[in-house]
Amino acid sequence: MATLILVRHGRSTANTAGVLAGWTPGVALDERGRAQAAALPARLASAPLAAVVTSPLQRCRETVQPLLDARPGLPLHPEDLIGECHYGDWSGRKLSELSTEPLMEVVQQHPSNAAFPGGESMRAMQARAVEAVRDWNTRIETEHGPDAVYAMCSHGDIIKSIVADALGMHLDLFQRISVEPCSLTVIRYTRLRPFLVRLGDTGDLASLAPREKEPDDQAEVGGGAGAP
């Protein structure tokens, strides 16, 4: 079956502001995010892409635009099912403020039981994202053959949930996965099982450098801003 390259969108204005964006309109890439997007064509130069599938949200569309400019004629397909988690009433709120909400402990420790007020459950988020991947795998293979490679630009929690499914991990373990802005995660699907080929590849190890504020043991909902 097809090989999928999952691209997390570049760093956004919401990432740097520490805001949980969700489906809030007008969230664009910041200066670093635009630079990350501009570097994407070179990073993917050796990948024989058959198509690009993207979340309809602005930060994802801006991330893939340089790639589309570099490859005229490369098909682009918007896909609502890989859009960000619907965080409902949490959308647009500061992560520092949300950290004191009782629900955050559930999101961290037992995400399969977490449902956002006015939004969706994390189980529903994973189910729709995995369904989209399976459907696109079939479509890409049918149109381009079993060795086809395609890219899918999405969001941190969506990508982590897809990786968890590929690894056969329970959703309650998916907070152990980290994917930085504009990182590449590659899954090769076969008839019997998926193979995780790359995970959160940014091309450098800047995120391992010591920071002024040491990261705590909580996973950043929405995916975080990546290396400073």
PDB file of all heavy atoms in Angstrom, residues 18 21 27 57 77 87 101 161 163 186 188 198:
ATOM      1  N   GLY A  18       1.234  30.691  22.897  1.00  0.00           N
ATOM      2  CA  GLY A  18       0.797  29.741  23.914  1.00  0.00           C
ATOM      3  C   GLY A  18      -0.708  29.592  23.982  1.00  0.00           C
ATOM      4  O   GLY A  18      -1.276  29.372  25.050  1.00  0.00           O
ATOM      5  N   ALA A  21      -5.241  26.840  19.530  1.00  0.00           N
ATOM      6  CA  ALA A  21      -5.943  27.448  18.397  1.00  0.00           C
ATOM      7  C   ALA A  21      -7.191  26.686  17.984  1.00  0.00           C
ATOM      8  O   ALA A  21      -8.242  27.270  17.733  1.00  0.00           O
ATOM      9  CB  ALA A  21      -4.991  27.570  17.206  1.00  0.00           C
ATOM     10  N   VAL A  27      -5.403  31.911  12.062  1.00  0.00           N
ATOM     11  CA  VAL A  27      -4.138  31.516  12.697  1.00  0.00           C
ATOM     12  C   VAL A  27      -3.142  31.176  11.590  1.00  0.00           C
ATOM     13  O   VAL A  27      -3.289  30.181  10.884  1.00  0.00           O
ATOM     14  CB  VAL A  27      -4.325  30.325  13.646  1.00  0.00           C
ATOM     15  CG1 VAL A  27      -2.978  29.893  14.226  1.00  0.00           C
ATOM     16  CG2 VAL A  27      -5.295  30.680  14.762  1.00  0.00           C
ATOM     17  N   LEU A  57      -7.203  24.177   7.350  1.00  0.00           N
ATOM     18  CA  LEU A  57      -6.873  25.349   8.150  1.00  0.00           C
ATOM     19  C   LEU A  57      -5.674  26.109   7.585  1.00  0.00           C
ATOM     20  O   LEU A  57      -4.760  25.526   6.992  1.00  0.00           O
ATOM     21  CB  LEU A  57      -6.617  24.928   9.595  1.00  0.00           C
ATOM     22  CG  LEU A  57      -7.854  24.351  10.293  1.00  0.00           C
ATOM     23  CD1 LEU A  57      -7.524  23.854  11.691  1.00  0.00           C
ATOM     24  CD2 LEU A  57      -8.971  25.383  10.366  1.00  0.00           C
ATOM     25  N   HIS A  77      -5.308  18.204  -2.273  1.00  0.00           N
ATOM     26  CA  HIS A  77      -6.643  17.775  -1.858  1.00  0.00           C
ATOM     27  C   HIS A  77      -6.905  18.225  -0.414  1.00  0.00           C
ATOM     28  O   HIS A  77      -6.288  17.709   0.521  1.00  0.00           O
ATOM     29  CB  HIS A  77      -6.775  16.255  -1.937  1.00  0.00           C
ATOM     30  CG  HIS A  77      -6.433  15.674  -3.261  1.00  0.00           C
ATOM     31  ND1 HIS A  77      -7.283  15.720  -4.341  1.00  0.00           N
ATOM     32  CD2 HIS A  77      -5.303  15.026  -3.687  1.00  0.00           C
ATOM     33  CE1 HIS A  77      -6.727  15.118  -5.377  1.00  0.00           C
ATOM     34  NE2 HIS A  77      -5.523  14.689  -5.010  1.00  0.00           N
ATOM     35  N   TYR A  87     -11.608  21.637  19.790  1.00  0.00           N
ATOM     36  CA  TYR A  87     -11.432  21.849  21.225  1.00  0.00           C
ATOM     37  C   TYR A  87     -12.611  22.586  21.864  1.00  0.00           C
ATOM     38  O   TYR A  87     -12.617  22.802  23.075  1.00  0.00           O
ATOM     39  CB  TYR A  87     -10.136  22.608  21.489  1.00  0.00           C
ATOM     40  CG  TYR A  87      -8.891  21.850  21.100  1.00  0.00           C
ATOM     41  CD1 TYR A  87      -8.054  22.317  20.090  1.00  0.00           C
ATOM     42  CD2 TYR A  87      -8.549  20.671  21.742  1.00  0.00           C
ATOM     43  CE1 TYR A  87      -6.907  21.629  19.726  1.00  0.00           C
ATOM     44  CE2 TYR A  87      -7.408  19.969  21.383  1.00  0.00           C
ATOM     45  CZ  TYR A  87      -6.590  20.457  20.366  1.00  0.00           C
ATOM     46  OH  TYR A  87      -5.462  19.763  20.011  1.00  0.00           O
ATOM     47  N   GLU A 101      -7.338  23.443  34.641  1.00  0.00           N
ATOM     48  CA  GLU A 101      -8.650  22.817  34.467  1.00  0.00           C
ATOM     49  C   GLU A 101      -8.575  21.335  34.845  1.00  0.00           C
ATOM     50  O   GLU A 101      -7.639  20.629  34.442  1.00  0.00           O
ATOM     51  CB  GLU A 101      -9.115  22.945  33.012  1.00  0.00           C
ATOM     52  CG  GLU A 101      -9.389  24.362  32.548  1.00  0.00           C
ATOM     53  CD  GLU A 101     -10.772  24.821  32.942  1.00  0.00           C
ATOM     54  OE1 GLU A 101     -11.528  24.007  33.530  1.00  0.00           O
ATOM     55  OE2 GLU A 101     -11.107  25.983  32.669  1.00  0.00           O
ATOM     56  N   SER A 161      -2.070  10.876  17.041  1.00  0.00           N
ATOM     57  CA  SER A 161      -3.098   9.831  17.117  1.00  0.00           C
ATOM     58  C   SER A 161      -2.971   8.847  15.962  1.00  0.00           C
ATOM     59  O   SER A 161      -3.234   7.653  16.127  1.00  0.00           O
ATOM     60  CB  SER A 161      -4.493  10.455  17.152  1.00  0.00           C
ATOM     61  OG  SER A 161      -4.847  11.041  15.927  1.00  0.00           O
ATOM     62  N   VAL A 163      -0.072   8.091  14.483  1.00  0.00           N
ATOM     63  CA  VAL A 163       1.110   7.293  14.828  1.00  0.00           C
ATOM     64  C   VAL A 163       0.754   6.230  15.859  1.00  0.00           C
ATOM     65  O   VAL A 163       1.170   5.061  15.742  1.00  0.00           O
ATOM     66  CB  VAL A 163       2.244   8.195  15.355  1.00  0.00           C
ATOM     67  CG1 VAL A 163       3.384   7.357  15.923  1.00  0.00           C
ATOM     68  CG2 VAL A 163       2.765   9.090  14.239  1.00  0.00           C
ATOM     69  N   VAL A 186       6.915   9.470   8.826  1.00  0.00           N
ATOM     70  CA  VAL A 186       6.658   8.622   7.656  1.00  0.00           C
ATOM     71  C   VAL A 186       6.146   7.259   8.109  1.00  0.00           C
ATOM     72  O   VAL A 186       6.761   6.609   8.960  1.00  0.00           O
ATOM     73  CB  VAL A 186       7.933   8.442   6.799  1.00  0.00           C
ATOM     74  CG1 VAL A 186       7.628   7.605   5.556  1.00  0.00           C
ATOM     75  CG2 VAL A 186       8.514   9.799   6.412  1.00  0.00           C
ATOM     76  N   ARG A 188       4.853   3.642   6.379  1.00  0.00           N
ATOM     77  CA  ARG A 188       4.653   2.808   5.191  1.00  0.00           C
ATOM     78  C   ARG A 188       3.613   1.747   5.528  1.00  0.00           C
ATOM     79  O   ARG A 188       3.829   0.918   6.429  1.00  0.00           O
ATOM     80  CB  ARG A 188       5.966   2.159   4.749  1.00  0.00           C
ATOM     81  CG  ARG A 188       5.821   1.262   3.515  1.00  0.00           C
ATOM     82  CD  ARG A 188       7.176   0.937   2.908  1.00  0.00           C
ATOM     83  NE  ARG A 188       8.073   0.292   3.850  1.00  0.00           N
ATOM     84  CZ  ARG A 188       8.122  -1.028   4.053  1.00  0.00           C
ATOM     85  NH1 ARG A 188       7.310  -1.838   3.380  1.00  0.00           N
ATOM     86  NH2 ARG A 188       8.967  -1.543   4.920  1.00  0.00           N
ATOM     87  N   ARG A 198       9.866   7.092   9.983  1.00  0.00           N
ATOM     88  CA  ARG A 198      10.409   8.306  10.589  1.00  0.00           C
ATOM     89  C   ARG A 198       9.387   8.828  11.593  1.00  0.00           C
ATOM     90  O   ARG A 198       8.180   8.705  11.380  1.00  0.00           O
ATOM     91  CB  ARG A 198      10.659   9.405   9.552  1.00  0.00           C
ATOM     92  CG  ARG A 198      11.712   9.104   8.492  1.00  0.00           C
ATOM     93  CD  ARG A 198      13.129   9.268   9.046  1.00  0.00           C
ATOM     94  NE  ARG A 198      14.109   9.222   7.965  1.00  0.00           N
ATOM     95  CZ  ARG A 198      14.544   8.104   7.393  1.00  0.00           C
ATOM     96  NH1 ARG A 198      14.055   6.935   7.809  1.00  0.00           N
ATOM     97  NH2 ARG A 198      15.438   8.137   6.420  1.00  0.00           N
TER      98      ARG A 198
END
